[in-house]
Structures are given as C-alpha cells and as structure tokens.
Amino acid sequence: MHLKYSSAVLPILAAWLLLSGAALAQEAEESSERVPLQPMKLSYNASMDKGISLNGSARRILEQRDDGTWRFRTDVDSFIADIDETLIFRWENNQVIPLRYRYELSGFLIKNRKEAIDFDWDNMVVSGHHEGDRFSIPLEEGALDPMGYQLQLSQDIKAGKREMQYRVVDEGNYDTDRFAVVDEETVNTNGEEVRTLKAEKVRDSDSKRQSLMWFAPEQDYVLIRFLQVEPDGSEYELTIKEATVGN
C-alpha cells in the first residue's frame, strides 16, 4: 500500500487492517472433503502495548444472499480510521471465488483510499481501480482479493491444511504470501479458556516483524486473536469480543 501515516498511527492502523484485508491473497489446494461455509457475525476489541484499549470497534459479517452467492463485510469505526470493505463471492469446491470487491478507507490523520476489483471468470480478466488508477490484467486460476484470503485461510486450516500459499490481486498486481500453523494453544477469551490453532505469517529469516493468528476449532475456526509485533518490540493486538456462528 502507498498510504502515508504518522509513525505512531501506522502500527495501530495495521492491527485494524488485519480485519480489512489489506494486501494478501490465496492460491488454495483442493481438498477431497467438502468444507461447509457458515454465516457469522463477529466483533473485535483492539489494544496496544500494556493492554491499552483503542477507542474503536471492528465488525465482520458473513452471510449468504438469495441468489446463492455470499457477502463478506468488514466495518471498522475508530478514532484512527473508518473502513468499509465488502466482498461478493461464490463458495465452490472449498474455494472462495471472488466476484466483486470494494474497499474504502477514510480518517483524520491518514490519506483516504478507495479500491475496486471486478473478477470476470468467463473471460479470465480482472479489472478495477486503485486510488483512481485503472487496471486490467489476466486473471489467474485461484486468485483472490485482499479480503477473501482471510476467509480462505480459516477454511483451509479447518480442512486440515497446515501450510498455505496465498495470491492476491491488489493495486493492479499480484502478491504472494505464505502462512503456517505452528502450534496448538489454549487462549483465555472473555474469561473462557478456548482451544486454538496458532498460525503465523512466514517472513524472511531476517525480518523482525511477527504476525500471529489464533483460530478456534470449536467456533468454526473463527479468528479470535491477532498479535502484531513490530521491529521495535511494540505490540498491537485484536481479540474477539462477540462471535455468532451459524443461522
């Protein structure tokens, strides 16, 4: 991304952006078993070093539409930034098939940003605009948008995968990122002990930044905790506040 923030705001906003996509994607392997997709409503709290609360809220909603497609939406409302992000997609053969992606970021201390991506699977072309710059590039099999990778990641882990590679169309280009499940841990969430699978973004060996995620198998593998450790040692964390899974 080519956004400009103050040095103090950037890491905090990065934590919120974990819920809004922000530049990853997916190239999923096929699974022999069908993984059902469940509607869900999630809300998160955020904190920085020493548990200081950030004044804001983040909500995610996954719902199936009347035509059989799905809507995945993130809504972030905070003193740092407001984010409205929506993905319309099909769920086929355990794979997110993105159709229409929209993203809008606005705030007091940051540069506003808009992005739109449309996936034409009949003609294998993906087109859209990023901050006013239009693009049109060939559409790769298995490509995802900046939001759909997170849903695909949780569903891949649910299907038993432990190493994942992700491709995304973002800002008119493709990016690749890798993730791996590294441990099983019990996490205290809202006074309740929850068994989780801990995943990590795989970075270069000399990287001092860490991105860790905890998914809850008993709650349909929803993300219940995210921890970002910056090179200077500062930490920023998202934790689940409420989760409703299923109809």
Side-chain angles (χ1 to χ4, degrees):
M1 295 187 301
H2 304 293
L3 306 181
K4 296 181 180 179
Y5 316 105
S6 71
S7 58
V9 169
L10 180 57
I12 302 173
L13 183 59
W16 285 121
L17 290 177
L18 181 276
L19 290 178
S20 66
L24 299 173
Q26 198 267 329
E27 182 178 333
E29 302 172 3
E30 292 186 1
S31 173
S32 58
E33 296 184 4
R34 182 178 181 274
V35 178
L37 203 56
Q38 296 286 344
M40 64 181 67
K41 294 181 180 180
L42 312 172
S43 62
Y44 292 86
N45 291 322
S47 63
M48 51 193 297
D49 278 339
K50 300 180 182 179
I52 298 174
S53 177
L54 301 179
N55 182 22
S57 61
R59 295 168 293 274
R60 307 208 99 157
I61 297 177
L62 175 63
E63 57 188 357
Q64 190 168 24
R65 306 199 304 171
D66 292 340
D67 63 1
T69 62
W70 291 78
R71 178 189 290 112
F72 195 26
R73 184 181 180 189
T74 295
D75 177 21
V76 175
D77 182 11
S78 74
F79 74 97
I80 302 168
D82 293 334
I83 298 170
D84 188 359
E85 184 178 35
T86 303
L87 169 65
I88 304 299
F89 69 96
R90 300 195 307 267
W91 178 247
E92 298 178 357
N93 300 320
N94 301 339
Q95 171 79 28
V96 172
I97 309 295
L99 302 175
R100 181 179 183 272
Y101 169 81
R102 296 293 184 269
Y103 176 90
E104 185 170 354
L105 167 71
S106 60
F108 178 67
L109 297 175
I110 64 175
K111 179 182 177 182
N112 293 350
R113 173 188 175 188
K114 290 185 178 181
E115 185 168 14
I117 307 175
D118 294 298
F119 295 78
D120 184 347
W121 293 99
D122 292 330
N123 297 303
M124 296 304 291
V125 174
V126 57
S127 60
H129 64 81
H130 169 71
E131 296 186 9
D133 295 329
R134 302 202 63 83
F135 67 88
S136 180
I137 58 177
L139 178 54
E140 297 180 5
E141 290 286 351
L144 285 181
D145 64 284
M147 188 179 188
Y149 95 91
Q150 294 175 51
L151 178 61
Q152 189 70 58
L153 174 61
S154 66
Q155 297 304 304
D156 282 349
I157 295 175
K158 180 179 179 180
K161 299 175 186 178
R162 295 300 177 258
E163 294 183 356
M164 289 71 62
Q165 180 170 291
Y166 294 86
R167 284 279 280 172
V168 71
V169 179
D170 191 29
E171 301 183 12
N173 294 296
Y174 286 96
D175 291 316
T176 302
D177 284 83
R178 293 178 296 136
F179 290 82
V181 174
V182 295
D183 203 357
E184 180 175 327
E185 290 185 2
T186 299
V187 176
N188 189 299
T189 303
N190 300 322
E192 179 183 358
E193 298 294 319
V194 179
R195 183 177 70 88
T196 69
L197 292 178
K198 179 181 176 182
E200 180 177 15
K201 181 178 180 181
V202 179
R203 301 181 184 272
D204 294 337
S205 58
D206 60 348
S207 176
K208 296 182 180 180
R209 178 177 285 108
Q210 279 188 304
S211 299
L212 302 171
M213 292 142 282
W214 285 259
F215 297 91
E218 278 75 40
Q219 298 183 38
D220 203 51
Y221 291 83
V222 300
L223 177 71
I224 66 166
R225 183 188 178 203
F226 168 74
L227 177 65
Q228 177 96 354
V229 182
E230 295 297 318
D232 63 1
S234 57
E235 297 183 356
Y236 304 90
E237 186 176 20
L238 297 172
T239 54
I240 196 76
K241 182 179 179 181
E242 294 180 329
T244 301
V245 179
N247 294 314

